[in-house]
Amino acid sequence: MALLNLHLKVWRQTGTQPGHFQDIEAPEIPDHASFLEMMDIVNERLIRAGQDPVAFDHDCREGICGMCSMTINGMAHGPERGTTTCQLHMRKFRTGDTIWVEPFRARAFPVVKDLMVDRSAFDRIIKAGGYVSVRTGAAPEANEIPVGKEIADAAMDAAACIGCGACVASCKNASAMLYVSAKAGQLNTLPQGHAEKDRRTLAMVRQMDAEGFGNCTNQYECEAACPKEISVRWIAKLNRDYAVASVKEVVGIGRQQSGDGD
Amino acid sequence: MSSLLDSLSRFYASSIGKKLLVALSGLALIGFVLGHMIGNLLIFAGPDAINEYGHMLHTMGHGGLIWVARLGLLAAVVVHIVATIHLTRQNKAARKDAYGKEATRVASSASRIMIFSGLTILAFVIYHLMHFTVRVGNEYNNPALYTAMLDGQPVHNVYKMVIDGFSWAPASVFYIIAVALLCNHLSHGFASLFQTLGLATNKTWPLFQKAGHAFALLILVGNCSIPIAIWLFGYGR
């Protein structure tokens, strides 16, 4: 085991007050520690020195919950492809390195404290349409609706999204299109989600816009940062589904013909 | 009626709605850029070819079709620019605090300067229209100097106008810079529009990307060949 001596530049901020970078020395960090474990060590030292520890989000620490965030050296979840911050290990850094640690920056993700941001905008997008309506009661027979293998596989690819927000953080425009396209696309692909496809697509995109995210400019930084490697082709599908749903809405297809609307 | 307008205004108000309009107007402008280049390359087929082509454009549909085309192009340009500026302002507003340490992994440099390349091309288009279409500050509208005979009929001497126009170094230099920026703009914009229109799939994307780069290069070589031939190699002078 090697020990690393690191120089950290950590963003410190309380609520809506202006933040700043704090220089923190992090000597003797074991190279087998994860990035979050390194932050734990730094915090223990800060607490022992009577200083305020750095606030950051974390939960499962095994790359599946989507809770950890942090922009490390300008890259959401750090430099490793397909990796969350909790799965990033210090052996990817060298002793003497200066590491910039910042929150996921977006107007729609206000800073709560230090590296913690409020990602509830994502929850409101799900609430707008990221579901399928099912009748309650006895569980339906599992194979009642046949789902093709290719369809199921594609839907699972989109469903791999853990909603961490790295796509927003890495996008030059703080756009949430990769997240929304994965969540809408997963359901729009499956037969169970087909009935509410148009309504879902319009509602989720409108909520996304209302939250103040930016617009996609097809630069694909999101795909490069995504810890689950969600493909930007889901964004193409969302664009397609939105175009179809909009045209139907403009000309009134899908509304009741008797005139009482829906 | 009002609910129809409501739906349309909601479409424009949405992020994807504006992007679709940028993509469709971009597609129309790509079509124009290609047609314009092919027409202009007639300069290498001699004076009669390009003069006849110019005469044909101005007399199609009793001189009406050129105005249909001009108004259509103007509409495409206005939609493309207004929606893009709107989108860009929203994008700037979506991240108030910049990162202390910026990193770019895959975004092409062309994709990052679209608004600057686009607005520079706009400035050039205005200059280019003043130069060769409205013809202000020059003698190209003078029938005594710029009339050619075509099948015994007097027509505007487009050939001489282009040769004289590009014999002046600043005009050629600005033209080449603008076409280089257009090539840069297209290297991102061409493929990008198919992603926005929802036509990009894992199967089609590599094709769109290659076609975009090839098209951008074609526009660069085709258009720049004209001022370079005239200004540097003295073609037609």
Side-chain angles (χ1 to χ4, degrees), chain A residues 21 71 73-76 78-81 100 102-107 168-174 177 205-206 208-209 212-221 224-225 231-233 235-236 238-240 242-243 246 249-250, chain B residues 3-4 7-8 10-11 13-20 86-88 90-108 111-113 188 191-202 205 209:
Chain A
F21 283 101
T71 304
N73 284 340
M75 287 168 277
E80 285 292 294
R81 285 246 176 183
W100 292 69
E102 302 176 61
F104 281 1
R105 294 191 190 274
R107 191 179 60 156
V168 174
S170 59
C171 175
K172 298 293 177 196
N173 316 315
M177 283 287 277
V205 170
R206 280 170 189 155
M208 171 185 83
D209 292 346
F213 291 105
N215 309 293
C216 175
T217 44
N218 304 335
Q219 293 173 300
Y220 311 145
E221 287 286 318
S231 165
V232 292
R233 299 288 88 83
I235 297 179
L238 182 68
N239 289 334
R240 185 164 70 238
Y242 185 82
S246 292
E249 188 191 51
V250 168
Chain B
S3 76
L4 178 68
S7 300
L8 284 172
R10 279 187 102 174
F11 177 74
S14 75
S15 53
I16 301 180
K18 278 193 280 290
K19 278 167 53 58
L20 286 167
H86 212 139
L87 287 164
T88 305
Q90 288 177 339
N91 293 345
K92 298 276 174 237
R95 180 168 292 132
K96 287 181 294 180
D97 299 320
Y99 281 110
K101 171 103 175 164
E102 276 273 353
T104 299
R105 283 164 138 161
V106 292
S108 67
S111 74
R112 303 188 63 193
I113 60 162
H188 175 70
S192 183
L193 84 86
F194 292 100
Q195 167 80 359
T196 300
L197 291 177
L199 301 173
T201 63
N202 287 336
W205 175 250
Q209 214 177 13

Side-chain angles (χ1 to χ4, degrees), chain A residues 157-233:
Chain A
D157 288 345
C161 170
I162 53 177
C164 64
C167 45
V168 174
S170 59
C171 175
K172 298 293 177 196
N173 316 315
S175 165
M177 283 287 277
L178 192 66
Y179 169 76
V180 177
S181 71
K183 293 301 178 194
Q186 168 204 338
L187 300 175
N188 287 351
T189 301
L190 290 168
Q192 289 90 338
H194 194 78
E196 292 161 304
K197 184 178 172 184
D198 293 341
R199 191 197 305 176
R200 168 184 309 114
T201 306
L202 293 173
M204 291 180 80
V205 170
R206 280 170 189 155
Q207 188 61 38
M208 171 185 83
D209 292 346
E211 296 291 348
F213 291 105
N215 309 293
C216 175
T217 44
N218 304 335
Q219 293 173 300
Y220 311 145
E221 287 286 318
C222 52
E223 186 184 73
C226 178
K228 297 298 152 187
E229 299 179 303
I230 305 284
S231 165
V232 292
R233 299 288 88 83

Side-chain angles (χ1 to χ4, degrees), chain A residues 134-145:
Chain A
V134 290
R135 284 190 297 169
T136 55
E141 205 281 308
N143 293 317
E144 193 177 34
I145 303 172

Side-chain angles (χ1 to χ4, degrees), chain A:
Chain A
M1 182 187 78
L3 293 175
L4 308 172
N5 297 318
L6 303 165
H7 314 286
L8 305 183
K9 286 183 177 290
V10 183
W11 186 257
R12 306 304 302 264
Q13 183 176 351
T14 305
T16 52
Q17 288 168 21
H20 66 278
F21 283 101
Q22 183 185 3
D23 287 301
I24 301 176
E25 291 304 313
E28 297 181 358
I29 300 294
D31 66 353
H32 62 220
S34 75
F35 202 88
L36 295 186
E37 286 163 348
M38 184 272 290
M39 292 303 290
D40 291 337
I41 295 167
V42 166
N43 274 346
E44 278 172 25
R45 291 173 183 167
L46 285 173
I47 291 165
R48 250 179 280 148
Q51 293 179 42
D52 194 17
V54 179
F56 62 88
D57 270 320
H58 61 98
D59 193 4
C60 76
R61 300 208 180 197
E62 54 186 16
I64 55 166
C65 77
M67 202 59 211
C68 60
S69 54
M70 296 194 197
T71 304
I72 301 160
N73 284 340
M75 287 168 277
H77 292 301
E80 285 292 294
R81 285 246 176 183
T83 305
T84 52
T85 299
C86 63
Q87 298 278 287
L88 172 67
H89 285 81
M90 297 316 294
R91 58 177 170 269
K92 302 293 177 184
F93 297 89
R94 302 227 168 150
T95 197
D97 277 359
T98 297
I99 306 174
W100 292 69
V101 190
E102 302 176 61
F104 281 1
R105 294 191 190 274
R107 191 179 60 156
F109 286 169
V111 172
V112 178
K113 188 168 165 49
D114 301 338
L115 307 173
M116 289 174 79
V117 295
D118 180 356
R119 288 169 277 184
S120 47
F122 272 10
D123 300 336
R124 291 188 289 273
I125 293 170
I126 294 296
K127 203 175 153 193
Y131 52 80
V132 289
S133 301
V134 290
R135 284 190 297 169
T136 55
E141 205 281 308
N143 293 317
E144 193 177 34
I145 303 172
V147 181
K149 168 83 171 126
E150 296 79 6
I151 300 284
D153 286 350
M156 277 306 291
D157 288 345
C161 170
I162 53 177
C164 64
C167 45
V168 174
S170 59
C171 175
K172 298 293 177 196
N173 316 315
S175 165
M177 283 287 277
L178 192 66
Y179 169 76
V180 177
S181 71
K183 293 301 178 194
Q186 168 204 338
L187 300 175
N188 287 351
T189 301
L190 290 168
Q192 289 90 338
H194 194 78
E196 292 161 304
K197 184 178 172 184
D198 293 341
R199 191 197 305 176
R200 168 184 309 114
T201 306
L202 293 173
M204 291 180 80
V205 170
R206 280 170 189 155
Q207 188 61 38
M208 171 185 83
D209 292 346
E211 296 291 348
F213 291 105
N215 309 293
C216 175
T217 44
N218 304 335
Q219 293 173 300
Y220 311 145
E221 287 286 318
C222 52
E223 186 184 73
C226 178
K228 297 298 152 187
E229 299 179 303
I230 305 284
S231 165
V232 292
R233 299 288 88 83
W234 288 102
I235 297 179
K237 177 174 166 57
L238 182 68
N239 289 334
R240 185 164 70 238
D241 290 348
Y242 185 82
V244 170
S246 292
V247 170
K248 283 185 179 175
E249 188 191 51
V250 168
V251 300
I253 294 172
R255 293 174 71 90
Q256 288 180 21
Q257 298 303 312
S258 58
D260 51 9
D262 58 4

Side-chain angles (χ1 to χ4, degrees), chain B residues 175-205:
Chain B
Y175 185 96
I176 291 165
I177 291 170
V179 171
L181 279 170
L182 177 62
C183 168
N184 189 266
H185 199 75
L186 286 169
S187 72
H188 175 70
F190 185 100
S192 183
L193 84 86
F194 292 100
Q195 167 80 359
T196 300
L197 291 177
L199 301 173
T201 63
N202 287 336
K203 241 177 173 175
T204 58
W205 175 250

